[in-house]
């Protein structure tokens, strides 16, 4: 599983904080159960936002090919002939 990016962490955290504040202010709840439901809903919403932020695309590593134009010329290799033993005495 890939690690979350900085953008995902930032968007998710901001979503949790602002949605929690908005839901608490709009609902005007004061019970512990209501606050817990709002907190869980905000966490789920923050997770959803963080996971939908697009991941950066990975670019494949460039293929390195030898530069044939820039390579120094190679000496021509002649086919080697077997060396004959001399029979001079």
């Amino acid at each position: 599983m890939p690690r979350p990016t900085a953008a995902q962490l930032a968007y998710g955290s901001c979503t949790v904080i602002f949605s929690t504040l908005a839901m608490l202010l709009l609902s005007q709840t004061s019970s512990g159960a209501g606050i817990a439901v709002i907190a869980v809903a905000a966490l789920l919403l923050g997770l959803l936002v963080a996971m939908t932020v697009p991941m950066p695309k990975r670019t494949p590593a460039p293929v390195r090919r030898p530069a044939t134009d820039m390579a120094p010329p190679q000496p021509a290799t002649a086919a080697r002939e077997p060396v004959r033993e001399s029979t001079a005495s």
Side-chain angles (χ1 to χ4, degrees):
M1 185 171 152
R3 291 184 176 187
T5 62
Q8 288 176 315
L9 291 174
Y11 283 133
S13 299
C14 288
T15 302
V16 169
I17 292 168
F18 291 129
S19 63
T20 302
L21 288 174
M23 286 189 279
L24 284 173
L25 289 173
L26 290 174
S27 68
Q28 297 180 354
T29 186
S30 60
S31 68
I35 293 173
V37 168
I38 289 174
V40 169
L43 286 174
L44 291 175
L45 185 61
L47 182 64
L48 177 70
V49 167
M51 299 315 297
T52 56
V53 173
M55 295 286 288
K57 295 181 181 177
R58 295 184 181 198
T59 56
V63 177
R64 295 188 178 225
R65 295 182 182 153
T68 55
D69 297 337
M70 303 297 285
Q74 298 293 328
T77 56
R80 293 187 176 182
E81 296 181 15
V83 178
R84 297 183 185 178
E85 292 182 21
S86 64
T87 55
S89 13

Short mmCIF file of all heavy atoms in Angstrom, two decimals, residues 17-73:
data_model
loop_
_atom_site.label_atom_id
_atom_site.label_comp_id
_atom_site.label_asym_id
_atom_site.label_seq_id
_atom_site.Cartn_x
_atom_site.Cartn_y
_atom_site.Cartn_z
N ILE A 17 -11.27 18.59 10.49
CA ILE A 17 -11.40 19.73 11.41
C ILE A 17 -12.61 20.59 11.06
O ILE A 17 -13.46 20.89 11.91
CB ILE A 17 -10.11 20.57 11.40
CG1 ILE A 17 -8.97 19.76 12.03
CG2 ILE A 17 -10.30 21.89 12.14
CD1 ILE A 17 -7.60 20.35 11.82
N PHE A 18 -12.69 20.99 9.78
CA PHE A 18 -13.77 21.90 9.39
C PHE A 18 -15.14 21.23 9.39
O PHE A 18 -16.13 21.85 9.76
CB PHE A 18 -13.48 22.54 8.03
CG PHE A 18 -12.32 23.50 8.09
CD1 PHE A 18 -11.28 23.41 7.19
CD2 PHE A 18 -12.26 24.50 9.05
CE1 PHE A 18 -10.21 24.29 7.24
CE2 PHE A 18 -11.21 25.39 9.11
CZ PHE A 18 -10.17 25.28 8.20
N SER A 19 -15.20 19.98 9.02
CA SER A 19 -16.52 19.31 9.03
C SER A 19 -16.98 19.05 10.46
O SER A 19 -18.17 19.12 10.75
CB SER A 19 -16.48 18.01 8.22
OG SER A 19 -15.58 17.09 8.80
N THR A 20 -16.04 18.76 11.36
CA THR A 20 -16.43 18.58 12.76
C THR A 20 -16.98 19.89 13.33
O THR A 20 -18.04 19.89 13.98
CB THR A 20 -15.22 18.13 13.60
OG1 THR A 20 -14.70 16.92 13.07
CG2 THR A 20 -15.61 17.90 15.05
N LEU A 21 -16.27 20.99 13.09
CA LEU A 21 -16.76 22.27 13.59
C LEU A 21 -18.11 22.64 12.99
O LEU A 21 -19.02 23.09 13.70
CB LEU A 21 -15.74 23.37 13.29
CG LEU A 21 -14.45 23.33 14.11
CD1 LEU A 21 -13.47 24.39 13.61
CD2 LEU A 21 -14.76 23.55 15.58
N ALA A 22 -18.25 22.43 11.70
CA ALA A 22 -19.52 22.79 11.04
C ALA A 22 -20.67 21.94 11.57
O ALA A 22 -21.76 22.47 11.87
CB ALA A 22 -19.38 22.61 9.53
N MET A 23 -20.45 20.64 11.70
CA MET A 23 -21.55 19.77 12.18
C MET A 23 -21.89 20.07 13.64
O MET A 23 -23.07 20.02 14.02
CB MET A 23 -21.18 18.30 12.00
CG MET A 23 -21.24 17.83 10.56
SD MET A 23 -21.05 16.06 10.37
CE MET A 23 -19.29 15.89 10.46
N LEU A 24 -20.88 20.36 14.46
CA LEU A 24 -21.17 20.69 15.86
C LEU A 24 -21.93 22.01 15.97
O LEU A 24 -22.86 22.13 16.78
CB LEU A 24 -19.87 20.76 16.67
CG LEU A 24 -19.23 19.41 17.02
CD1 LEU A 24 -17.88 19.63 17.68
CD2 LEU A 24 -20.14 18.60 17.94
N LEU A 25 -21.56 22.98 15.17
CA LEU A 25 -22.25 24.27 15.24
C LEU A 25 -23.67 24.18 14.67
O LEU A 25 -24.60 24.79 15.20
CB LEU A 25 -21.46 25.33 14.48
CG LEU A 25 -20.16 25.77 15.13
CD1 LEU A 25 -19.38 26.71 14.21
CD2 LEU A 25 -20.45 26.44 16.47
N LEU A 26 -23.84 23.40 13.60
CA LEU A 26 -25.17 23.31 12.99
C LEU A 26 -26.12 22.43 13.81
O LEU A 26 -27.32 22.71 13.87
CB LEU A 26 -25.06 22.75 11.56
CG LEU A 26 -24.41 23.71 10.55
CD1 LEU A 26 -24.22 23.00 9.22
CD2 LEU A 26 -25.27 24.95 10.38
N SER A 27 -25.60 21.37 14.42
CA SER A 27 -26.49 20.47 15.16
C SER A 27 -26.78 20.97 16.57
O SER A 27 -27.78 20.59 17.18
CB SER A 27 -25.88 19.08 15.25
OG SER A 27 -24.73 19.10 16.07
N GLN A 28 -25.89 21.78 17.13
CA GLN A 28 -26.01 22.31 18.48
C GLN A 28 -26.23 21.20 19.51
O GLN A 28 -26.99 21.34 20.46
CB GLN A 28 -27.13 23.34 18.57
CG GLN A 28 -26.88 24.55 17.70
CD GLN A 28 -28.01 25.57 17.79
OE1 GLN A 28 -29.03 25.33 18.43
NE2 GLN A 28 -27.82 26.72 17.16
N THR A 29 -25.56 20.10 19.30
CA THR A 29 -25.68 18.97 20.23
C THR A 29 -24.76 19.19 21.42
O THR A 29 -23.72 19.83 21.32
CB THR A 29 -25.35 17.64 19.54
OG1 THR A 29 -25.62 16.57 20.42
CG2 THR A 29 -23.90 17.56 19.11
N SER A 30 -25.17 18.64 22.57
CA SER A 30 -24.35 18.73 23.77
C SER A 30 -24.19 17.37 24.43
O SER A 30 -23.49 17.26 25.44
CB SER A 30 -24.95 19.74 24.76
OG SER A 30 -26.26 19.32 25.12
N SER A 31 -24.81 16.35 23.86
CA SER A 31 -24.69 15.02 24.46
C SER A 31 -23.41 14.34 23.97
O SER A 31 -22.90 14.63 22.88
CB SER A 31 -25.90 14.16 24.08
OG SER A 31 -25.89 13.87 22.70
N GLY A 32 -22.89 13.47 24.77
CA GLY A 32 -21.67 12.75 24.43
C GLY A 32 -21.84 11.85 23.21
O GLY A 32 -20.94 11.73 22.38
N ALA A 33 -23.02 11.23 23.13
CA ALA A 33 -23.28 10.33 21.99
C ALA A 33 -23.36 11.13 20.69
O ALA A 33 -22.84 10.68 19.65
CB ALA A 33 -24.57 9.56 22.22
N GLY A 34 -23.96 12.29 20.72
CA GLY A 34 -24.07 13.12 19.52
C GLY A 34 -22.70 13.60 19.05
O GLY A 34 -22.39 13.61 17.85
N ILE A 35 -21.86 13.98 20.02
CA ILE A 35 -20.51 14.44 19.67
C ILE A 35 -19.69 13.28 19.10
O ILE A 35 -18.93 13.45 18.14
CB ILE A 35 -19.83 15.07 20.91
CG1 ILE A 35 -20.57 16.36 21.29
CG2 ILE A 35 -18.36 15.33 20.66
CD1 ILE A 35 -20.10 16.97 22.60
N ALA A 36 -19.86 12.09 19.66
CA ALA A 36 -19.13 10.92 19.16
C ALA A 36 -19.55 10.57 17.74
O ALA A 36 -18.71 10.25 16.90
CB ALA A 36 -19.37 9.73 20.09
N VAL A 37 -20.86 10.66 17.47
CA VAL A 37 -21.35 10.37 16.11
C VAL A 37 -20.79 11.39 15.12
O VAL A 37 -20.35 11.04 14.02
CB VAL A 37 -22.89 10.36 16.09
CG1 VAL A 37 -23.42 10.36 14.67
CG2 VAL A 37 -23.42 9.15 16.85
N ILE A 38 -20.76 12.65 15.51
CA ILE A 38 -20.23 13.69 14.63
C ILE A 38 -18.73 13.49 14.40
O ILE A 38 -18.24 13.64 13.28
CB ILE A 38 -20.53 15.09 15.22
CG1 ILE A 38 -22.02 15.38 15.08
CG2 ILE A 38 -19.70 16.17 14.54
CD1 ILE A 38 -22.47 16.66 15.75
N ALA A 39 -18.01 13.12 15.45
CA ALA A 39 -16.56 12.91 15.32
C ALA A 39 -16.27 11.74 14.38
O ALA A 39 -15.37 11.82 13.53
CB ALA A 39 -15.94 12.66 16.69
N VAL A 40 -17.02 10.65 14.51
CA VAL A 40 -16.81 9.49 13.64
C VAL A 40 -17.18 9.84 12.20
O VAL A 40 -16.46 9.47 11.25
CB VAL A 40 -17.63 8.28 14.15
CG1 VAL A 40 -17.65 7.15 13.12
CG2 VAL A 40 -17.06 7.78 15.47
N ALA A 41 -18.27 10.58 12.03
CA ALA A 41 -18.67 10.98 10.68
C ALA A 41 -17.61 11.89 10.05
O ALA A 41 -17.29 11.75 8.86
CB ALA A 41 -20.02 11.69 10.73
N ALA A 42 -17.04 12.79 10.84
CA ALA A 42 -16.00 13.67 10.31
C ALA A 42 -14.74 12.89 9.95
O ALA A 42 -14.10 13.17 8.93
CB ALA A 42 -15.67 14.75 11.33
N LEU A 43 -14.38 11.91 10.76
CA LEU A 43 -13.22 11.08 10.44
C LEU A 43 -13.43 10.29 9.15
O LEU A 43 -12.52 10.18 8.32
CB LEU A 43 -12.91 10.13 11.59
CG LEU A 43 -12.27 10.77 12.82
CD1 LEU A 43 -12.16 9.75 13.95
CD2 LEU A 43 -10.91 11.33 12.47
N LEU A 44 -14.61 9.74 8.99
CA LEU A 44 -14.90 8.99 7.76
C LEU A 44 -14.90 9.91 6.54
O LEU A 44 -14.40 9.54 5.47
CB LEU A 44 -16.24 8.27 7.88
CG LEU A 44 -16.28 7.10 8.87
CD1 LEU A 44 -17.68 6.53 9.00
CD2 LEU A 44 -15.30 6.02 8.45
N LEU A 45 -15.44 11.09 6.70
CA LEU A 45 -15.44 12.06 5.60
C LEU A 45 -14.00 12.49 5.25
O LEU A 45 -13.64 12.59 4.07
CB LEU A 45 -16.28 13.28 5.97
CG LEU A 45 -16.46 14.33 4.87
CD1 LEU A 45 -17.17 13.74 3.67
CD2 LEU A 45 -17.23 15.51 5.42
N GLY A 46 -13.18 12.71 6.26
CA GLY A 46 -11.78 13.06 6.02
C GLY A 46 -11.01 11.94 5.33
O GLY A 46 -10.20 12.18 4.44
N LEU A 47 -11.30 10.70 5.72
CA LEU A 47 -10.67 9.56 5.06
C LEU A 47 -11.10 9.46 3.61
O LEU A 47 -10.29 9.21 2.72
CB LEU A 47 -11.01 8.27 5.81
CG LEU A 47 -10.40 6.98 5.28
CD1 LEU A 47 -8.89 7.03 5.39
CD2 LEU A 47 -10.96 5.80 6.03
N LEU A 48 -12.37 9.68 3.36
CA LEU A 48 -12.88 9.64 1.99
C LEU A 48 -12.22 10.72 1.12
O LEU A 48 -11.79 10.44 -0.01
CB LEU A 48 -14.40 9.82 1.99
CG LEU A 48 -15.06 9.87 0.62
CD1 LEU A 48 -15.02 8.50 -0.03
CD2 LEU A 48 -16.48 10.37 0.74
N VAL A 49 -12.10 11.92 1.66
CA VAL A 49 -11.49 13.01 0.90
C VAL A 49 -10.01 12.71 0.65
O VAL A 49 -9.50 12.91 -0.45
CB VAL A 49 -11.67 14.36 1.65
CG1 VAL A 49 -10.77 15.43 1.05
CG2 VAL A 49 -13.11 14.78 1.61
N ALA A 50 -9.32 12.21 1.66
CA ALA A 50 -7.89 11.92 1.51
C ALA A 50 -7.64 10.83 0.47
O ALA A 50 -6.66 10.88 -0.27
CB ALA A 50 -7.29 11.51 2.85
N MET A 51 -8.53 9.86 0.40
CA MET A 51 -8.31 8.76 -0.55
C MET A 51 -8.71 9.12 -1.97
O MET A 51 -8.29 8.46 -2.91
CB MET A 51 -9.07 7.50 -0.10
CG MET A 51 -8.66 6.97 1.26
SD MET A 51 -6.89 6.89 1.56
CE MET A 51 -6.31 5.76 0.38
N THR A 52 -9.51 10.15 -2.15
CA THR A 52 -9.92 10.53 -3.50
C THR A 52 -9.01 11.57 -4.13
O THR A 52 -9.15 11.88 -5.31
CB THR A 52 -11.37 11.06 -3.52
OG1 THR A 52 -11.47 12.14 -2.60
CG2 THR A 52 -12.35 9.97 -3.15
N VAL A 53 -8.06 12.12 -3.36
CA VAL A 53 -7.08 13.04 -3.93
C VAL A 53 -6.20 12.20 -4.87
O VAL A 53 -5.70 11.16 -4.48
CB VAL A 53 -6.22 13.70 -2.83
CG1 VAL A 53 -5.09 14.51 -3.44
CG2 VAL A 53 -7.08 14.55 -1.95
N PRO A 54 -6.04 12.63 -6.11
CA PRO A 54 -5.27 11.81 -7.05
C PRO A 54 -3.82 11.67 -6.63
O PRO A 54 -3.19 12.62 -6.17
CB PRO A 54 -5.39 12.55 -8.38
CG PRO A 54 -5.85 13.91 -8.05
CD PRO A 54 -6.53 13.85 -6.73
N MET A 55 -3.30 10.46 -6.79
CA MET A 55 -1.90 10.17 -6.49
C MET A 55 -1.05 10.67 -7.65
O MET A 55 -1.48 10.67 -8.79
CB MET A 55 -1.70 8.66 -6.32
CG MET A 55 -2.41 8.06 -5.13
SD MET A 55 -1.62 8.49 -3.59
CE MET A 55 -0.18 7.50 -3.67
N PRO A 56 0.18 11.09 -7.35
CA PRO A 56 1.05 11.50 -8.46
C PRO A 56 1.38 10.29 -9.33
O PRO A 56 1.58 9.18 -8.82
CB PRO A 56 2.30 12.05 -7.75
CG PRO A 56 2.27 11.47 -6.39
CD PRO A 56 0.82 11.21 -6.06
N LYS A 57 1.42 10.54 -10.63
CA LYS A 57 1.71 9.45 -11.55
C LYS A 57 3.20 9.18 -11.54
O LYS A 57 4.01 10.09 -11.59
CB LYS A 57 1.24 9.80 -12.96
CG LYS A 57 -0.25 9.93 -13.03
CD LYS A 57 -0.70 10.26 -14.43
CE LYS A 57 -2.21 10.40 -14.45
NZ LYS A 57 -2.71 10.79 -15.74
N ARG A 58 3.52 7.92 -11.50
CA ARG A 58 4.93 7.54 -11.54
C ARG A 58 5.38 7.45 -12.98
O ARG A 58 4.77 6.78 -13.79
CB ARG A 58 5.15 6.20 -10.85
CG ARG A 58 4.82 6.26 -9.39
CD ARG A 58 5.14 4.98 -8.71
NE ARG A 58 4.79 5.08 -7.31
CZ ARG A 58 5.24 4.27 -6.40
NH1 ARG A 58 6.03 3.30 -6.73
NH2 ARG A 58 4.89 4.43 -5.15
N THR A 59 6.45 8.14 -13.25
CA THR A 59 6.98 8.07 -14.61
C THR A 59 8.02 6.96 -14.66
O THR A 59 8.83 6.81 -13.75
CB THR A 59 7.64 9.41 -15.00
OG1 THR A 59 8.65 9.71 -14.03
CG2 THR A 59 6.63 10.54 -15.03
N PRO A 60 7.97 6.17 -15.70
CA PRO A 60 8.95 5.09 -15.78
C PRO A 60 10.35 5.65 -15.97
O PRO A 60 10.54 6.74 -16.51
CB PRO A 60 8.50 4.29 -17.01
CG PRO A 60 7.67 5.22 -17.81
CD PRO A 60 7.05 6.18 -16.83
N ALA A 61 11.30 4.91 -15.49
CA ALA A 61 12.69 5.34 -15.62
C ALA A 61 13.07 5.40 -17.09
O ALA A 61 12.69 4.52 -17.87
CB ALA A 61 13.60 4.36 -14.89
N PRO A 62 13.79 6.42 -17.50
CA PRO A 62 14.16 6.52 -18.91
C PRO A 62 15.09 5.39 -19.30
O PRO A 62 15.98 5.00 -18.54
CB PRO A 62 14.85 7.88 -19.01
CG PRO A 62 15.30 8.19 -17.63
CD PRO A 62 14.33 7.51 -16.71
N VAL A 63 14.87 4.89 -20.49
CA VAL A 63 15.71 3.82 -21.00
C VAL A 63 16.97 4.45 -21.57
O VAL A 63 16.90 5.32 -22.42
CB VAL A 63 14.96 3.02 -22.08
CG1 VAL A 63 15.85 1.95 -22.67
CG2 VAL A 63 13.69 2.43 -21.52
N ARG A 64 18.09 3.99 -21.08
CA ARG A 64 19.35 4.54 -21.56
C ARG A 64 19.87 3.66 -22.68
O ARG A 64 20.09 2.47 -22.51
CB ARG A 64 20.37 4.61 -20.45
CG ARG A 64 19.95 5.58 -19.38
CD ARG A 64 21.06 5.78 -18.40
NE ARG A 64 20.65 6.76 -17.41
CZ ARG A 64 21.42 7.74 -17.00
NH1 ARG A 64 22.62 7.85 -17.46
NH2 ARG A 64 20.98 8.59 -16.12
N ARG A 65 20.04 4.29 -23.81
CA ARG A 65 20.58 3.58 -24.96
C ARG A 65 21.94 4.17 -25.29
O ARG A 65 22.12 5.38 -25.20
CB ARG A 65 19.64 3.72 -26.15
CG ARG A 65 18.31 3.06 -25.89
CD ARG A 65 17.42 3.17 -27.08
NE ARG A 65 16.13 2.55 -26.77
CZ ARG A 65 15.00 2.87 -27.31
NH1 ARG A 65 14.97 3.80 -28.23
NH2 ARG A 65 13.89 2.28 -26.97
N PRO A 66 22.87 3.34 -25.70
CA PRO A 66 24.18 3.90 -26.03
C PRO A 66 24.07 4.80 -27.26
O PRO A 66 23.36 4.50 -28.21
CB PRO A 66 25.03 2.66 -26.32
CG PRO A 66 24.06 1.57 -26.62
CD PRO A 66 22.80 1.90 -25.86
N ALA A 67 24.76 5.90 -27.18
CA ALA A 67 24.75 6.83 -28.30
C ALA A 67 25.70 6.32 -29.37
O ALA A 67 26.91 6.33 -29.21
CB ALA A 67 25.17 8.21 -27.83
N THR A 68 25.16 5.84 -30.46
CA THR A 68 26.00 5.27 -31.51
C THR A 68 26.73 6.37 -32.27
O THR A 68 27.82 6.16 -32.78
CB THR A 68 25.15 4.44 -32.49
OG1 THR A 68 24.10 5.26 -32.99
CG2 THR A 68 24.56 3.24 -31.79
N ASP A 69 26.15 7.56 -32.35
CA ASP A 69 26.80 8.64 -33.06
C ASP A 69 27.98 9.19 -32.26
O ASP A 69 28.94 9.69 -32.83
CB ASP A 69 25.82 9.78 -33.33
CG ASP A 69 24.68 9.33 -34.23
OD1 ASP A 69 24.87 8.34 -34.96
OD2 ASP A 69 23.62 9.96 -34.19
N MET A 70 27.90 9.12 -30.97
CA MET A 70 28.92 9.71 -30.13
C MET A 70 30.02 8.71 -29.75
O MET A 70 31.03 9.10 -29.21
CB MET A 70 28.29 10.25 -28.84
CG MET A 70 27.18 11.27 -29.09
SD MET A 70 27.78 12.75 -29.90
CE MET A 70 28.61 13.52 -28.55
N ALA A 71 29.84 7.44 -30.01
CA ALA A 71 30.81 6.43 -29.61
C ALA A 71 32.04 6.52 -30.51
O ALA A 71 31.93 6.76 -31.70
CB ALA A 71 30.19 5.05 -29.69
N PRO A 72 33.24 6.34 -29.94
CA PRO A 72 34.43 6.36 -30.78
C PRO A 72 34.42 5.14 -31.71
O PRO A 72 33.88 4.09 -31.37
CB PRO A 72 35.58 6.28 -29.77
CG PRO A 72 34.98 5.70 -28.55
CD PRO A 72 33.55 6.11 -28.54
N PRO A 73 35.02 5.29 -32.87
CA PRO A 73 35.02 4.16 -33.80
C PRO A 73 35.81 3.00 -33.23
O PRO A 73 36.86 3.16 -32.63
CB PRO A 73 35.67 4.73 -35.06
CG PRO A 73 36.43 5.93 -34.61
CD PRO A 73 35.72 6.44 -33.39
#
